[in-house]
Amino acid sequence: MLRRSADQGGTVTAETVPADVLHEVETLRQQLHDASFRYYILDAPQLPDVEYDRLFRRLQQLEEQYPAVVSPDSPTQRVGAPVSSGFPKITHAVPMLSLDNAFSHEELTAFVERAADRLECSGDDLQFCCEPKLDGLAVSLRYEQGQLVEGATRGDGRVGEGIIGNLRTISTIPLKLHGDDLPELLEVRGEVYMRHSSFERLNEDARKDGSKVFANPRNAAAGSLRQLDPAITRQRSLEFCAYQIAQLDEHRQQPSHSRQMALLKAWGFRPNPLLEVVTGSEGIITYCESLGERRPTLDYDIDGAVLKIDDLRQQRELGFVSRAPRWAIAYKFPAQEQVTTVEDVAFQVGRIGTLTPVAKLAPVQVAGVTVSNATLHNMDEVERLGVKIGDSVIIRRAGDVIPQVVGVIEDRRPEDARDIVMPDTCPVCGADVERLEGEVAARCSGGLFCAAQRKEALKHFASRRALDIVGLGDKLIEQLVDHGWVDTPDKLFKLISSQLASLPRMGEKSAANLVVALEKARHTTLARFIYAIGIREVGESTAAALARHFGTLEALMAADEETLTAIPDIGPIVARHIRTFFEQEHNRETVHALRDVGVTWDETIIEERDQPLVGETWVLTGTLDVMTRDQAKEHLLALGAKVSGSVSKKTAVVVAGPGAGSKLSKAESLGVTVMDEAAFLARLAELGITTP
């Protein structure tokens, strides 16, 4: 409580502080206490750092303006959080204090000037040791006669949690100091953190087995360090970066902080490689700007820079205030997390038809950029977060990564908050949206028709294994779509030379050659056509199986799921994709439009008795002269064989041309039959296949 007796001397007391100020102070303290509990104890932060800093600075301002409201339990009077009951308590011989923060170049300059005034010297002459401010968990390590004997978290700054068992699992923490002439006593402070690459692997594994997904690497590192089972911590790929010596034999003390860090490196620790010694305000400002530019390229999170006066004698002379040293400061970068409101949710359609929910946000500054959209990834993530339209949410942006929603502040949820619902039809083309049981992604079934998928669908349609339109590369397709000349594949066959020649880097000869290639591509095979139209999960082999079984496109389009699943190697999921594709009117219109512009093939039903290689697996390797490997593959598929890319004991025949390598060697070692191209052509002739 803030109620206290009035002073006799007429000074300002709590009883003379305005009631609205008393209420604000109490509210701020409660918010900060709750945030610290969630951050340190529950490992489930709901308040981003920038919001915590804002509340903390506001409380500092009020306490400075009304000193009578300061109380021992205020967050401004202590450093960290209470100790968890799950670990033994460790009292720090030297308190682990926090740092004051600077948020602008002006505040950095003021810090230098204050230090210079107390030291009675010029700020331009002061040297500072600068390093990144890692976003992890501060710990203290105690060594006796070179052996690691104790390790603890910061805790409340005076008493931490004893986690020596977990710290021993971190490979960058030496269990024994390197060298022969070792100190009797050494206490090292540093940061335990997790790299982005390790964090992504951890969350990927968590999603697969349905366990907890962490919001950010700092949260993951803290949760990993506080596991009661060190075997779990060992699996988390944590790292340790030393940043200070707290205790050391007197005769080993170095004259500067940077020399202390060099001593730690010699004993087997890893200070941050970006540590630098600079001079004056200009030096530290330049360092902070340079570090900010490098921030997006780092494989670990930093939220600023730590700037310390390098001379240890000057550090001792400057001393401390109640909770922080006067000789160091933390420069905070623009926040990578912020709080804002979800005003709506839209669904974007990706290049392969995947629908992604995107939160439409009240605009907010994050890491120096105005953010009004953030990805929600998929509906499983929406469910995991529990996010609704109208919620206050925490958004995160790291470097150039697309902003994402990482948490919901449920206490602020309005009564009219609405659920986020996946649409039944594509917001771009109106086709049905598919989401099969057991799959995370929902997809538009529009295929060639959907504008969002247009470029990728056309690239697939023209690719070598589809209609093989020579000269129609990815960049040219993008130009054609951007000019509005092609929106469906049938429009490709209506292009003329003069039109194509007007494109950048497209001469008359290239244009004429492309028209010839388009004319040649009009006649194809049914299998290639089925593959080219881009039915989901229908690859070359499946397309060939469908062509062999049905013989005509009309028969395939009319087939129901039961008929489709009767075909070998076609299960219910693929059958459902095929049926869904042909149920869409626009897909049928696209197919008919291709037939109308002259795309044809020979429709011949091949019965099982005409497939003498059914059940055999063949492998093609090396170079073939008479035909391409794709042509050879089509012949084999037509005869009922499966064509594989690898050799095994189940392989029937390997066709090896010049340049065959490991596949030929493996076939010989396994005793698999090997044919050269001449023998292969002879075999095809025996089976009634005429080759050039």
Side-chain angles (χ1 to χ4, degrees):
M1 297 293 292
L2 295 173
R3 304 292 296 175
R4 302 193 186 97
S5 299
D7 288 349
Q8 297 298 315
T11 57
V12 176
T13 68
E15 293 178 342
T16 64
V17 176
D20 60 335
V21 172
L22 291 175
H23 177 73
E24 185 178 2
V25 168
E26 287 284 18
T27 301
L28 287 168
R29 286 178 182 168
Q30 189 59 50
Q31 287 177 311
L32 292 168
H33 282 312
D34 290 345
S36 293
F37 179 75
R38 290 179 178 275
Y39 192 85
Y40 291 101
I41 302 303
L42 300 183
D43 293 326
Q46 284 203 338
L47 204 65
D49 290 348
V50 64
E51 184 75 359
Y52 186 97
D53 290 337
R54 185 187 67 79
L55 297 176
F56 192 95
R57 286 167 73 89
R58 175 57 180 163
L59 180 57
Q60 280 182 315
Q61 291 171 357
L62 291 174
E63 290 182 348
E64 289 170 2
Q65 186 175 356
Y66 301 98
V69 304
V70 177
S71 65
D73 64 348
S74 173
T76 64
Q77 303 304 300
R78 64 181 176 85
V79 177
V83 177
S84 168
S85 60
F87 296 94
K89 296 180 180 181
I90 301 292
T91 301
H92 299 300
V94 178
M96 294 185 71
L97 300 180
S98 185
L99 296 175
D100 284 334
N101 293 323
F103 294 87
S104 66
H105 293 174
E106 291 76 18
E107 290 181 339
L108 287 177
T109 300
F111 159 70
V112 174
E113 291 175 350
R114 287 195 302 271
D117 287 345
R118 286 181 175 273
L119 294 171
E120 298 181 350
C121 68
S122 170
D124 293 338
D125 297 330
L126 286 176
Q127 288 198 314
F128 297 87
C129 191
C130 309
E131 61 185 298
K133 185 176 183 294
L134 296 177
D135 195 9
L137 195 73
V139 299
S140 178
L141 307 173
R142 184 181 177 87
Y143 291 80
E144 295 178 0
Q145 282 76 48
Q147 300 284 340
L148 177 63
V149 297
E150 187 176 273
T153 64
R154 179 196 301 244
D156 65 1
R158 297 186 180 277
V159 179
E161 299 168 328
I163 55 169
I164 183 65
N166 290 342
L167 291 171
R168 286 180 180 275
T169 69
I170 300 174
S171 59
T172 45
I173 293 178
L175 301 180
K176 179 181 179 181
L177 300 182
H178 180 73
D180 298 322
D181 185 21
L182 301 177
E184 293 184 10
L185 173 65
L186 171 67
E187 184 181 350
V188 180
R189 305 278 167 80
E191 200 86 0
V192 173
Y193 64 101
M194 183 178 289
R195 291 185 178 272
H196 294 159
S197 48
S198 300
F199 172 70
E200 294 300 331
R201 286 196 300 270
L202 176 63
N203 269 355
E204 183 179 350
D205 292 342
R207 291 188 184 100
K208 288 179 180 177
D209 60 26
S211 57
K212 178 180 178 180
V213 176
F214 291 96
N216 53 57
R218 191 271 165 206
N219 185 216
S224 301
L225 262 191
R226 299 182 67 255
Q227 293 290 328
L228 295 178
D229 181 1
I232 297 177
T233 306
R234 184 186 298 275
Q235 298 170 3
R236 299 291 177 83
S237 300
L238 299 177
E239 299 191 31
F240 175 78
C241 181
Y243 61 64
Q244 185 185 13
I245 291 179
Q247 291 190 93
L248 181 62
D249 304 345
E250 184 66 30
H251 69 282
R252 296 180 186 272
Q253 292 284 348
Q254 302 296 307
S256 67
H257 175 74
S258 56
R259 291 277 294 276
Q260 298 269 61
M261 291 298 97
L263 191 60
L264 287 181
K265 188 172 183 179
W267 283 333
F269 293 94
R270 189 178 61 185
N272 195 288
L274 300 181
L275 182 148
E276 289 184 24
V277 177
V278 303
T279 303
S281 301
E282 185 176 339
I284 61 175
I285 289 172
T286 299
Y287 177 86
C288 291
E289 289 179 340
S290 175
L291 184 62
E293 292 173 358
R294 297 187 63 169
R295 184 185 189 190
T297 68
L298 301 176
D299 190 30
Y300 49 85
D301 279 349
I302 62 174
D303 56 6
V306 176
L307 317 165
K308 303 172 184 175
I309 287 181
D310 196 36
D311 189 301
L312 295 185
R313 179 189 59 78
Q314 291 178 332
Q315 286 189 11
R316 290 190 293 270
E317 186 175 343
L318 287 170
F320 301 82
V321 292
S322 61
R323 61 182 297 275
R326 291 192 180 96
W327 43 264
I329 199 165
Y331 176 72
K332 301 296 284 288
F333 289 144
Q336 291 185 296
E337 290 188 348
Q338 266 289 9
V339 174
T340 187
T341 305
V342 178
E343 297 182 336
D344 200 358
V345 171
F347 286 84
Q348 291 184 349
V349 184
R351 61 184 180 83
I352 58 172
T354 303
L355 269 70
T356 301
V358 177
K360 300 297 181 179
L361 308 168
V364 64
Q365 284 278 323
V366 186
V369 175
T370 299
V371 172
S372 55
N373 297 311
T375 181
L376 289 165
H377 298 292
N378 52 58
M379 293 305 292
D380 281 2
E381 183 73 357
V382 169
E383 184 177 349
R384 185 188 73 78
L385 290 167
V387 62
K388 298 176 181 286
I389 297 171
D391 273 343
S392 293
V393 295
I394 302 167
I395 58 171
R396 178 177 177 82
R397 177 180 178 270
D400 294 328
V401 176
I402 298 171
Q404 57 184 317
V405 176
V406 296
V408 177
I409 305 177
E410 295 186 6
D411 295 344
R412 301 187 190 180
R413 175 168 289 163
E415 293 183 0
D416 60 349
R418 294 178 285 128
D419 289 338
I420 298 169
V421 180
M422 173 67 69
D424 294 326
T425 58
C426 173
V428 175
C429 71
D432 291 345
V433 170
E434 287 185 294
R435 186 183 181 187
L436 299 183
E437 186 176 350
E439 292 192 2
V440 172
R443 290 184 173 88
C444 163
S445 61
L448 294 168
F449 174 80
C450 182
Q453 304 174 64
R454 186 165 294 152
K455 289 182 180 179
E456 294 304 314
L458 288 168
K459 290 174 186 177
H460 173 78
F461 182 83
S463 65
R464 183 168 59 88
R465 298 181 185 278
L467 259 65
D468 192 20
I469 305 175
V470 178
L472 188 57
D474 292 355
K475 290 184 179 180
L476 182 54
I477 287 174
E478 290 177 4
Q479 285 183 293
L480 294 172
V481 174
D482 292 342
H483 277 69
W485 295 348
V486 176
D487 55 6
T488 53
D490 59 287
K491 301 287 180 63
L492 290 169
F493 298 96
K494 298 178 182 179
L495 294 169
I496 59 177
S497 294
S498 58
Q499 182 184 23
L500 291 168
S502 68
L503 293 172
R505 296 180 296 279
M506 189 72 173
E508 292 184 4
K509 184 175 182 180
S510 296
N513 288 340
L514 179 55
V515 171
V516 171
L518 285 165
E519 187 62 32
K520 182 179 178 182
R522 288 180 196 269
H523 188 74
T524 184
T525 66
L526 178 57
R528 278 180 174 267
F529 184 83
I530 294 169
Y531 175 66
I533 58 179
I535 304 170
R536 188 177 167 199
E537 292 193 29
V538 173
E540 293 176 85
S541 296
T542 302
L546 292 169
R548 288 195 304 269
H549 184 85
F550 291 104
T552 68
L553 183 63
E554 288 70 23
L556 171 60
M557 293 174 69
D560 57 23
E561 290 184 43
E562 184 178 356
T563 302
L564 290 164
T565 54
I567 302 171
D569 298 327
I570 294 183
I573 293 176
V574 176
R576 176 59 184 157
H577 290 325
I578 296 169
R579 190 66 250 136
T580 299
F581 182 89
F582 287 119
E583 283 175 350
Q584 306 298 308
E585 178 62 29
H586 46 258
N587 287 338
R588 293 197 297 273
E589 289 176 355
T590 298
V591 168
H592 292 317
L594 285 166
R595 300 301 299 271
D596 290 342
V597 295
V599 177
T600 60
W601 52 84
D602 297 326
E603 295 183 334
T604 303
I605 300 177
I606 302 176
E607 303 292 345
E608 287 296 321
R609 63 177 180 272
D610 298 322
Q611 295 181 299
L613 301 185
V614 167
E616 294 186 9
T617 299
W618 287 55
V619 173
L620 300 166
T621 184
T623 303
L624 302 181
D625 295 325
V626 175
M627 67 181 72
T628 66
R629 279 167 54 176
D630 284 344
Q631 290 171 329
K633 180 177 180 180
E634 288 181 3
H635 289 314
L636 289 169
L637 291 174
L639 292 166
K642 291 183 179 180
V643 180
S644 175
S646 59
V647 179
S648 71
K649 291 181 179 179
K650 295 182 180 180
T651 303
V653 180
V654 170
V655 179
S662 60
K663 292 178 184 177
L664 175 58
S665 300
K666 186 171 183 180
E668 291 172 341
S669 67
L670 294 174
V672 173
T673 300
V674 177
M675 292 182 181
D676 60 14
E677 186 173 13
F680 176 56
L681 294 174
R683 178 65 171 143
L684 290 180
E686 290 175 6
L687 298 173
I689 300 293
T690 302
T691 57

